[in-house]
């Protein structure tokens, strides 16, 4: 199995919190089967209730095995509660497999707060980084853009924002191969005087940093315009902005579907239009863009949407494999030291 | 001219800061002409450099007159600077016409910070309201939703958020005739434990208030889903969320246009699809949704997008007329007293 450079593809093992998300194993198991079938270098460890997983796996697969975890973290449980009482949950056990080197990456569609809390407690963080951030590669008109934080922290200081920028810049280099990714801060205007105190101070810090290609502020409308490769914001802002964007995309897809199904004429036009609307439909399909990275941990941890379907879960698994193969945590770790403020 | 209730339509005078926005009088003057031509009850006062405006007005119009203002507020000037040095600008003079009762409403496409600052200094605020907010009626799948604040304030306290909710609820009643508009706070999740301190405290205050129909938190993805009639957030968050949503819509329109113009086949399908895509195109057309209200002032002040075209400027003028005719400021003022915390 040669990779692009002609070398052998290294085997990858991904642990999946199979009980998590709105649909649990019924989505995770088929996605895992699809993932190992499309990638011969991939092995998967499904973590969860053995009997349930076995029933869904049927004959099983030689590169899928099950690790029993009796407990499940529920969507609305508080992180502090989960940390104390759910040490034997599928989420905690899956993260433990990464810590112990059994797997190189972990995917969970569970409670974000709990995943962050367990992530920090089970897997080491990069030295000097105060808080992990949630980062996602979002599609844009001509390229892609890493956005962080998307909800790990709802009150980021300037120092936090600066650290997200460092991690995001290194991540973009590692994943997209950009030597000097353009890093921007998300703000309510492009002028220097705009924004709140944290953002203005973070901008000052980033402008001082020689090793980051800081390009200044961008507005929400520029997120999809290939203006920046890395966009940094507080998690409260990032989460709401991204979900609003997804909401608009969803609304549009719904309206297109209405137009193309309501009448016989509409159905005919819809059928005829399908081949030329491919790019649009791909860009707007949330299941293609599932999988956010918990950045700050010395291991690959991918958060899937809670309501992911099989295809979306597969996208999240692929994201985990990609980050492991590109050695993202190691490459961030080795360069972070030089960049800390 | 009977209105819907069979009574006579009251005449309305709107003052327009004609020099403001990226395109200034070249957009404002034709929009003003279109507005008076479609509405016989409307008179317009154009505020700006007389010679420029006269040249664009050609023969003029009996219901359009010009008030000279020699100075212009530039897009990037600081509010503090503008307040001291631009008292004779078209923006300040237009607001002064509302204060003096010459006009009942004002429209400006100028610098938002300056408009807020002049608004507060020239026109009185509602008693007890600490800061004005920018509110906009955004379209959704089946209805419409008032969102505020969209950028007037980038660091809102719980008390500020509570006041936005009060004003937004009264505004929705006045504009959309809803007796008990559903009021929600924008947050990163729907559970009680989610969000930052300000949002959680504001939620507690709103839950105590009998006269507001507070329904709790909503997420960004629900903004276009008719879940709430009024959505309240800090201006930093609201500005970025809305611009992100507009960015996605713009990206989509661009992709649709690409698909429908790139090839001969695409152009044919685009032509055939146009009649069934009307609702989608109307919803996504930003020029139809131009015009945000400066809420908190005892007068109608509408902020237009800086880059508004003629059609968008016309939408902003219509918005001003509607708010004057519905007596929005008076109706908010008379009920606000009972609701203050």
């Amino acid at each position: 199995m040669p990779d692009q450079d002609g070398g052998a593809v290294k085997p990858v093992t991904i642990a999946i919190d199979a009980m998590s998300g709105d649909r649990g194993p019924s989505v995770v198991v088929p996605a895992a089967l699809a993932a190992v079938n499309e990638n011969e270098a991939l092995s998967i460890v499904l973590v969860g209730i053995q009997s349930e997983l076995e029933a869904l796996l049927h004959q099983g697969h030689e590169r899928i095995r099950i690790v029993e975890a009796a407990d499940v973290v529920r969507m609305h449980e508080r992180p502090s509660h989960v940390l104390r009482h759910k040490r034997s949950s599928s989420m905690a056990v899956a993260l433990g497999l990464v810590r112990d080197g059994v797997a190189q990456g972990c995917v969970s569609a569970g409670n974000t707060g709990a995943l962050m809390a367990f992530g920090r407690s089970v897997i080491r963080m990069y030295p000097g980084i105060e808080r992990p951030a949630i980062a996602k590669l979002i599609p844009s008109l001509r390229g892609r853009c890493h956005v962080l934080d998307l909800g790990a922290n709802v009150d980021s200081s300037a120092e936090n924002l600066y650290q997200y920028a460092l991690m995001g810049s290194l991540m973009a280099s590692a994943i997209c191969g950009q030597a000097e990714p353009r890093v921007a801060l998300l703000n309510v205007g492009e002028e220097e005087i705009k924004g709140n105190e944290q953002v203005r101070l973070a901008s000052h810090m980033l402008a001082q940093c020689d090793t980051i290609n800081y390009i200044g502020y961008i507005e929400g409308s520029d997120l999809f315009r290939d203006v920046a490769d890395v966009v940094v914001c507080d998690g409260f802002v990032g989460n709401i902005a991204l979900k609003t964007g997804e909401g608009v995309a969803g609304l549009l897809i719904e309206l297109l579907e209405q137009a193309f199904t309501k009448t016989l004429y509409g159905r005919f036009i819809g059928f005829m239009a399908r081949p030329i609307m491919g790019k649009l439909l791909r860009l707007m399909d949330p299941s293609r863009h599932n999988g956010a990275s918990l950045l700050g941990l010395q291991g690959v941890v991918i958060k899937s949407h809670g309501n992911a379907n099989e295809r979306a879960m597969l996208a999240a698994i692929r994201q985990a494999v990609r980050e492991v193969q590109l050695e993202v945590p190691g490459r961030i770790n080795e360069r972070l030291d030089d960049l800390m403020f």
Side-chain angles (χ1 to χ4, degrees), chain A:
Chain A
M1 270 172 307
D3 66 6
Q4 283 171 329
D5 304 323
V9 174
K10 270 188 248 167
V12 176
T13 302
I14 302 295
I16 310 184
D17 169 10
M19 309 309 289
S20 66
D22 303 345
R23 310 188 212 180
S26 69
V27 153
V28 171
V29 172
L33 280 165
V36 291
N37 282 329
E38 74 174 13
N39 184 344
E40 291 182 20
L42 175 62
S43 299
I44 284 179
V45 184
L46 294 175
V47 183
I49 295 164
Q50 187 142 8
S51 56
E52 277 191 47
L53 297 174
E54 269 172 358
L56 285 159
L57 265 174
H58 306 296
Q59 295 92 6
H61 190 288
E62 54 176 0
R63 283 181 278 115
I64 297 185
R65 66 186 182 93
I66 296 171
V67 165
E68 171 79 14
D71 219 347
V72 179
V73 173
R74 303 280 161 210
M75 280 319 238
H76 302 324
E77 285 180 307
R78 282 171 192 264
S80 55
H81 171 86
V82 163
L83 270 182
R84 276 197 304 276
H85 302 291
K86 295 281 175 105
R87 288 266 158 199
S88 56
S89 63
S90 55
M91 184 186 281
V93 173
L95 287 163
L97 294 177
V98 178
R99 174 199 55 210
D100 300 339
V102 176
Q104 291 91 54
C106 166
V107 176
S108 174
N111 179 329
T112 310
L115 190 63
M116 291 294 304
F118 270 136
R120 289 179 71 161
S121 115
V122 172
I123 300 175
R124 270 186 311 164
M125 287 183 54
Y126 299 127
I129 293 293
E130 279 178 31
R131 303 175 179 185
I134 296 175
K136 197 169 172 185
L137 198 55
I138 64 163
S140 65
L141 196 56
R142 269 168 291 275
R144 293 182 302 176
C145 169
H146 292 266
V147 186
L148 72 166
D149 173 35
L150 293 175
N153 313 292
V154 293
D155 251 324
S156 308
S157 66
E159 173 78 14
N160 294 142
L161 294 172
Y162 177 77
Q163 294 192 349
Y164 304 161
L166 289 184
M167 294 194 290
S169 177
L170 293 174
M171 185 182 206
S173 292
I175 292 187
C176 300
Q178 290 148 321
E180 291 198 328
R182 297 160 299 170
V183 177
L185 281 168
L186 194 57
N187 200 350
V188 295
E190 289 172 17
E191 308 91 49
E192 220 179 287
I193 58 160
K194 292 283 177 113
N196 56 29
E197 219 179 291
Q198 304 90 284
V199 168
R200 287 204 305 269
L201 185 53
S203 177
H204 186 72
M205 292 166 76
L206 285 167
Q208 311 275 310
C209 174
D210 295 335
T211 41
I212 286 192
N213 179 15
Y214 175 60
I215 61 165
Y217 298 139
I218 68 160
E219 298 191 63
S221 45
D222 297 325
L223 263 178
F224 308 93
R225 296 262 149 219
D226 308 295
V227 175
D229 303 306
V230 179
V231 176
V232 173
C233 55
D234 169 52
F236 192 85
V237 176
N239 180 290
I240 288 174
L242 205 74
K243 284 187 180 158
T244 303
E246 289 171 353
V248 172
L251 174 67
L252 234 117
I253 293 292
E254 214 165 311
L255 287 170
L256 267 179
E257 272 170 11
Q258 270 181 21
F260 287 156
T261 53
K262 227 173 175 177
T263 60
L264 195 63
Y265 179 75
R267 281 203 290 277
F268 171 69
I269 296 295
F271 177 75
M272 302 290 283
R274 201 152 291 269
I276 56 169
M277 304 220 321
K279 185 174 178 189
L280 188 154
L281 294 174
R282 279 195 300 280
L283 260 179
M284 294 296 142
D285 180 357
S287 72
R288 287 177 180 270
H289 311 294
N290 187 36
S293 314
L294 260 66
L295 205 54
L297 305 176
Q298 297 201 15
V300 171
V301 180
I302 301 294
K303 163 77 177 91
S304 155
H305 247 299
N307 66 357
N309 59 18
E310 185 186 324
R311 183 171 173 179
M313 180 54 72
L314 179 58
I317 298 171
R318 285 184 189 140
Q319 175 72 13
V321 173
R322 193 157 42 237
E323 291 194 18
V324 169
Q325 286 180 330
L326 292 169
E327 298 170 8
V328 173
R331 289 167 74 174
I332 293 179
N333 201 18
E334 79 191 13
R335 285 200 50 208
L336 202 55
D337 250 2
D338 315 336
L339 293 177
M340 293 297 283
F341 204 65

